[in-house]
Amino acid sequence: MLKWFDETPTDFRFFIKIPKTISHEKRLKDCREEISEFCLHIESNLKEKLSGFLYQFPPSFKILRKISI
């Protein structure tokens, strides 16, 4: 990721996709620490070039109750 940071223009911004293991396999269940560690790792490398994170879920994903991450 440091290479991404170094090789992109100063005004370039990244949107990073949350890993499939979290969104598709675990479906956010018991992932609070894993998400936090992932996001902190990305943020520490991409710094001000990080615009956000994308959560993409499978079509079968249904929210049956409120999930707090």
Side-chain angles (χ1 to χ4, degrees), residues 4 13 21 31 43 57 60:
W4 293 356
R13 297 295 177 262
T21 54
C31 292
E43 186 177 25
F57 298 99
S60 61

mmCIF file of all heavy atoms in Angstrom, residues 4 13 21 31 43 57 60:
data_model
loop_
_atom_site.group_PDB
_atom_site.id
_atom_site.type_symbol
_atom_site.label_atom_id
_atom_site.label_comp_id
_atom_site.label_asym_id
_atom_site.label_seq_id
_atom_site.Cartn_x
_atom_site.Cartn_y
_atom_site.Cartn_z
ATOM 1 N N TRP A 4 1.275 2.248 -3.435
ATOM 2 C CA TRP A 4 0.093 2.925 -3.966
ATOM 3 C C TRP A 4 0.120 4.399 -3.563
ATOM 4 O O TRP A 4 -0.136 5.276 -4.368
ATOM 5 C CB TRP A 4 -1.182 2.314 -3.414
ATOM 6 C CG TRP A 4 -1.504 0.913 -3.819
ATOM 7 C CD1 TRP A 4 -0.821 0.110 -4.699
ATOM 8 C CD2 TRP A 4 -2.594 0.146 -3.354
ATOM 9 N NE1 TRP A 4 -1.434 -1.107 -4.793
ATOM 10 C CE2 TRP A 4 -2.524 -1.114 -3.971
ATOM 11 C CE3 TRP A 4 -3.627 0.384 -2.458
ATOM 12 C CZ2 TRP A 4 -3.457 -2.112 -3.741
ATOM 13 C CZ3 TRP A 4 -4.555 -0.611 -2.224
ATOM 14 C CH2 TRP A 4 -4.462 -1.852 -2.867
ATOM 15 N N ARG A 13 -7.606 9.735 -4.483
ATOM 16 C CA ARG A 13 -8.245 9.170 -3.297
ATOM 17 C C ARG A 13 -8.631 7.718 -3.543
ATOM 18 O O ARG A 13 -9.054 7.337 -4.634
ATOM 19 C CB ARG A 13 -9.494 9.969 -2.919
ATOM 20 C CG ARG A 13 -9.195 11.414 -2.548
ATOM 21 C CD ARG A 13 -8.346 11.481 -1.283
ATOM 22 N NE ARG A 13 -7.987 12.834 -0.925
ATOM 23 C CZ ARG A 13 -6.828 13.424 -1.200
ATOM 24 N NH1 ARG A 13 -5.897 12.772 -1.875
ATOM 25 N NH2 ARG A 13 -6.584 14.643 -0.803
ATOM 26 N N THR A 21 -14.266 -12.095 3.160
ATOM 27 C CA THR A 21 -14.459 -12.965 4.332
ATOM 28 C C THR A 21 -15.383 -12.304 5.357
ATOM 29 O O THR A 21 -16.155 -12.981 6.026
ATOM 30 C CB THR A 21 -13.120 -13.307 5.019
ATOM 31 O OG1 THR A 21 -12.434 -12.098 5.336
ATOM 32 C CG2 THR A 21 -12.263 -14.181 4.140
ATOM 33 N N CYS A 31 -17.369 -9.656 13.876
ATOM 34 C CA CYS A 31 -16.256 -9.123 13.088
ATOM 35 C C CYS A 31 -15.777 -7.753 13.542
ATOM 36 O O CYS A 31 -14.944 -7.142 12.873
ATOM 37 C CB CYS A 31 -16.663 -9.013 11.612
ATOM 38 S SG CYS A 31 -16.919 -10.591 10.819
ATOM 39 N N GLU A 43 -5.841 2.660 6.884
ATOM 40 C CA GLU A 43 -5.742 4.090 7.173
ATOM 41 C C GLU A 43 -4.302 4.514 7.480
ATOM 42 O O GLU A 43 -3.848 5.572 7.039
ATOM 43 C CB GLU A 43 -6.645 4.436 8.351
ATOM 44 C CG GLU A 43 -6.723 5.902 8.647
ATOM 45 C CD GLU A 43 -7.691 6.205 9.764
ATOM 46 O OE1 GLU A 43 -7.943 5.332 10.608
ATOM 47 O OE2 GLU A 43 -8.187 7.334 9.785
ATOM 48 N N PHE A 57 -22.229 -6.639 -0.251
ATOM 49 C CA PHE A 57 -22.777 -7.880 0.273
ATOM 50 C C PHE A 57 -23.371 -8.725 -0.853
ATOM 51 O O PHE A 57 -23.769 -8.196 -1.888
ATOM 52 C CB PHE A 57 -23.864 -7.583 1.307
ATOM 53 C CG PHE A 57 -23.339 -6.833 2.491
ATOM 54 C CD1 PHE A 57 -23.487 -5.462 2.598
ATOM 55 C CD2 PHE A 57 -22.644 -7.505 3.494
ATOM 56 C CE1 PHE A 57 -22.989 -4.767 3.681
ATOM 57 C CE2 PHE A 57 -22.136 -6.812 4.581
ATOM 58 C CZ PHE A 57 -22.305 -5.446 4.677
ATOM 59 N N SER A 60 -28.005 -12.425 -1.418
ATOM 60 C CA SER A 60 -28.780 -13.159 -0.406
ATOM 61 C C SER A 60 -28.698 -12.529 0.986
ATOM 62 O O SER A 60 -29.391 -12.963 1.898
ATOM 63 C CB SER A 60 -28.281 -14.603 -0.329
ATOM 64 O OG SER A 60 -26.910 -14.614 0.058
#
